[in-house]
Amino acid sequence: MLHINNLHVSINGKAILNGLNLDIKPGEVHALMGPNGSGKSTLSKVLAGREEYIVTAGSITYQGQDLLALAPEERAHQGIFMAFQYPVEIPGVNNTYFLHQSLNAIRKARGEPELNSLAFMRLVRDKLKALDMDESLLKRYVNTGFSGGEMKRNEILQMTLLEPRFAILDETDSGLDIDALKIVAKGVNTLRNPERAMLVITHYQRLLDYIQPDVVHVLSGGKIVMSGDKSLALELEAKGYGWIHPEWEEAA
Amino acid sequence: MNAALDNILSHYRRFAASADYAGLPDSQQTAAAALHRLPLPTRRDESWRYTPLPAVLEHPFQPIALEDDLLTPDDVEQLRLTPADSPRVVMLNGFFIPELSTIPDDGSVEILPLNAALRDLSSDAFTRIGQLSGTRQHLFTALNTASLGEGVYVRVSAGTVLAKPLEVLHVSISFESEFIAQPRLLVVLEAGAQATLVEQYAHLSDTLCLNNGVVEVFLEAGAQLSHPRLQHESLRTRHLSSLYLRQAAESHYQGTTLAFGGAWSRTEFHVDFSGTGAHCDLNGFYLAGDKQSHGMHVDVIHNLPNCTSRERFKGILYGNSTAVFDGNILVQADAQKTDARLSNDNLLLSRDAEINTKPRLEIYADDVQCSHGTTVGQLDPEMLFYLRARGIPHEQAVTMICMGFAGAIIATCEFETLEQCANALLVKRLSKLVGLSHQNID
């Protein structure tokens, strides 16, 4: 589904990713871990299409096509979804309106009929209920004045509504209490199926107690330095990143 | 002064010289005299410093006669923002057209042509006309006052609550060019009266004209006026409108001015108080596109204690447009316990757009709460990316962000049809703009 080959990325002339390789097949959930500044968020932003990040070498192929040639909205239309680490406040834009426009844009791109307000409200209420989330989120402006937890819940709501083929969770677990964490995990687990793939970026093993990854990768210095099954995450938790690379411990 | 400007000034002075002022209100005679004394505005005047003047001073705008049959009931039907049976005043190029207006005869509101109202020397209209507008030295206001007579006097009697909104529809339409229309409104809400006054400035022909309007509003004790206004004149029109408002004790004014049209437009707000405990809410939005200039000039004088005011203005600029926000709140020494908040926020969508914003507070009392602030920003790339990452196409994302930005002001008019009309205008203009910018990139 996703094939990243020798990816080099820089921003403002500073190289962040230095030859990253990653293969994700349909149905797989990959966890990406790594110390601060290793390039985890850069990877998620490049995948979603943030234009400030410059790809200096390498390629990303998604469902057989050149992902880097697509605009951010085209990637969304093709089923890519990134849950933002820092969702953006958009004052004056009603959350329901935003969700509705977003879903219809994607349905239109998929060749499905757009939903009218009534059908949309029915659908969004179902999704909220499934996630044990409160409807008050809908009446407010997009992320405006939301607490950290509310913002992340809003991201998960969007994910379950848009039903992406490939979802990236960019440190969605950071700063969440255990209840919110469970909502995030529930969102991810309900979406899991043999056609979908996910990349879960996280600092901590904690989220992986609820979302069982098929593969765990460790990103460091802009490339993947180790991959393994879910036991790798446990080992990292117990031993720290220094265990992979002794110099890090000294640096820390 | 150069010869061309000299000619323009004498051109306007001739307006007054040709009229006979015997038996007319003092304020009108004073205005006529002021016309002979006042100079043309120049960039050396603080309140005209950033206003591009050639647009109004390069043409000798001519007075126009009332042209019959230009405006039809169908046109009014198309343009109206209030229900069909709402009281409605239709003004054509500054002339009151009673045949097209809907004047209720149930005594709820008195609507009279100004020339009729001013015939009685002891009338309310005679006493009030020019009382507020005459206090400022303003050539164009003086020009309007000196040539009034075709305007309208509106009075809502004490304690009356107008059930239906009153609409004043100003329409510019003519086969002539370079004419000056001078609509004049005198609005009085007596003690405890409540009304909604919807004002609309529209055009049906694309002519180069100067619309020089003056609105004087008196709110007596406890009166409440909601005053949404939409200006969507032709992109060749020069639009100057000055609102003069005086509020008595415990009165409440809620105004929203939405400016979309005009090659050149300038809206002035002059407010003061004749009683304590009054509240004034002024909201404004301007959309300035290529070759357009908009100015919002706010001048609120807190001259009495315990009054509050809110002045919120926002603008979206694109192309090579220019805009001016010039807001001043003066709190005089006696005006203790004043609470006044002034803000102006601007969104610039292009490199060539220019905003000159100048919010000011001048405070001579010591027990007041006042604030002022201004922001100038571009479209936030983070917001744009967030929306696009959710599948919303670039153009629609830009429009959504702009609508969100403007929405907070547009919603203050609390008048659904006007809100819808303003939102539609905004979407139409923005979608054109984004389409163009895409072509440029390709």
Side-chain angles (χ1 to χ4, degrees), chain B residues 363-404:
Chain B
I363 302 172
Y364 298 98
D366 51 18
D367 183 13
V368 300
Q369 287 192 53
C370 292
S371 69
H372 70 312
T374 184
T375 64
V376 177
Q378 298 171 330
L379 217 49
D380 183 347
E382 302 269 348
M383 285 187 196
L384 206 51
F385 178 65
Y386 188 79
L387 295 176
R388 293 178 73 194
R390 294 298 177 256
I392 294 168
H394 185 262
E395 301 181 12
Q396 197 190 345
V398 171
T399 304
M400 271 170 87
I401 295 170
C402 291
M403 300 285 290

Side-chain angles (χ1 to χ4, degrees), chain A residues 81-200:
Chain A
F81 177 92
M82 174 179 74
F84 281 62
Q85 183 180 5
Y86 303 110
V88 184
E89 296 192 12
I90 309 182
V93 178
N94 176 272
N95 204 25
T96 306
Y97 176 74
F98 158 66
L99 296 170
H100 192 179
Q101 294 300 311
S102 167
L103 180 63
N104 274 348
I106 285 171
R107 287 179 69 94
K108 203 169 147 189
R110 285 187 200 144
E112 296 169 10
E114 296 182 28
L115 293 186
N116 64 25
S117 301
L118 203 68
F120 172 76
M121 284 314 292
R122 205 173 291 143
L123 178 69
V124 79
R125 287 208 173 98
D126 286 349
K127 300 289 182 187
L128 281 167
K129 203 183 252 177
L131 293 169
D132 298 319
M133 277 165 56
D134 194 63
E135 263 191 44
S136 63
L137 218 62
L138 297 176
K139 297 190 185 82
R140 296 157 67 181
Y141 293 143
V142 179
N143 296 323
T144 307
F146 282 27
S147 69
E150 284 173 329
M151 282 194 185
K152 299 296 175 78
R153 283 175 217 223
N154 200 28
E155 294 294 292
I156 296 305
L157 173 65
Q158 291 168 42
M159 185 175 77
T160 56
L161 207 55
L162 301 179
E163 300 183 320
R165 280 182 166 270
F166 176 58
I168 307 147
L169 276 73
D170 188 0
E171 299 197 23
T172 303
D173 54 334
S174 62
L176 288 191
D177 59 32
I178 200 75
D179 291 334
L181 197 67
K182 281 180 181 165
I183 287 181
V184 170
K186 198 169 177 183
V188 170
N189 290 328
T190 49
L191 277 182
R192 260 181 116 148
N193 76 19
E195 276 90 50
R196 288 204 179 97
M198 293 186 202
L199 179 63
V200 179

